[in-house]
Amino acid sequence: MPAKLIPPDGLPTSASVADDEAWSALVANQLTDVRKTAENWRNGLAALIGLIATFSVVKGSNDLSDLARWAGCSVGVLLSFALVCGMFGAWKSLDAAYGTPSVISLDQFRALGGANGFHLNLGMKTISNLRWARRATIATVILVALAVGLTWYGPRPVSAILNIER
């Protein structure tokens, strides 16, 4: 639901004019601040995706071959889900950081409440995208941690030890 600004009743007072100016400045700066935050989340997610790739390539199947088959497959599935979550989060953080290009008509601009309503609406969309990026980041970290833990402490197949003495 887009934000809608409602004009006040009566004539403006000096206090209400000052409040309106302060609110306008806040709305204009808020979008910039949230987008800077989203850029930082994007960088963090890029690092996580690099970590997943490094873990998959460096650790690879060599370290997974001595795990029980189901544990090795589980590590692969966990890393795949982590990669998907990381890519989704990176996409949402990019959308939050840079926005989605769109065309807006003058009527739509006025319906949003002018410049302040437009910035407020963009800010709300940006915060929503950033919230999804943060959730995806947390899910990615949890999935990578589970995969690493299963690799380190997962069950190994029992091998028969045979001692031959003469």
Side-chain angles (χ1 to χ4, degrees):
M1 181 171 126
K4 186 168 183 175
L5 303 176
I6 301 170
D9 295 328
L11 296 174
T13 64
S14 60
S16 67
V17 170
D19 286 345
D20 287 344
E21 289 173 1
W23 188 77
S24 293
L26 176 68
V27 168
N29 293 333
Q30 193 173 35
L31 181 61
T32 304
D33 293 343
V34 172
R35 287 199 167 158
K36 285 180 185 175
T37 303
E39 287 179 24
N40 292 334
W41 279 94
R42 179 207 60 202
N43 295 339
L45 275 163
L48 276 175
I49 291 171
L51 175 71
I52 294 168
T54 302
F55 182 76
S56 298
V57 171
V58 172
K59 288 287 186 185
S61 61
N62 295 339
D63 285 354
L64 299 179
S65 62
D66 62 339
L67 282 174
R69 182 163 171 75
W70 70 266
C73 291
S74 297
V75 169
V77 169
L78 287 169
L79 287 176
S80 297
F81 282 145
L83 185 61
V84 169
C85 282
M87 289 173 21
F88 175 76
W91 170 56
K92 284 299 193 178
S93 65
L94 280 170
D95 197 11
Y98 301 110
T100 303
S102 63
V103 177
I104 185 169
S105 70
L106 182 58
D107 291 335
Q108 292 170 325
F109 181 75
R110 288 180 179 153
L112 288 171
N116 287 337
F118 179 73
H119 283 118
L120 182 64
N121 192 40
L122 280 178
M124 289 168 45
K125 287 179 185 177
T126 300
I127 289 171
S128 175
N129 285 330
L130 183 57
R131 191 174 294 126
W132 278 108
R134 291 172 61 178
R135 289 176 184 153
T137 302
I138 292 168
T140 302
V141 168
I142 290 170
L143 290 167
V144 168
L146 288 172
V148 169
L150 193 54
T151 301
W152 289 351
Y153 304 110
R156 307 294 194 252
V158 178
S159 60
I161 299 175
L162 182 61
N163 288 332
I164 302 176
E165 293 183 20
R166 285 193 183 204

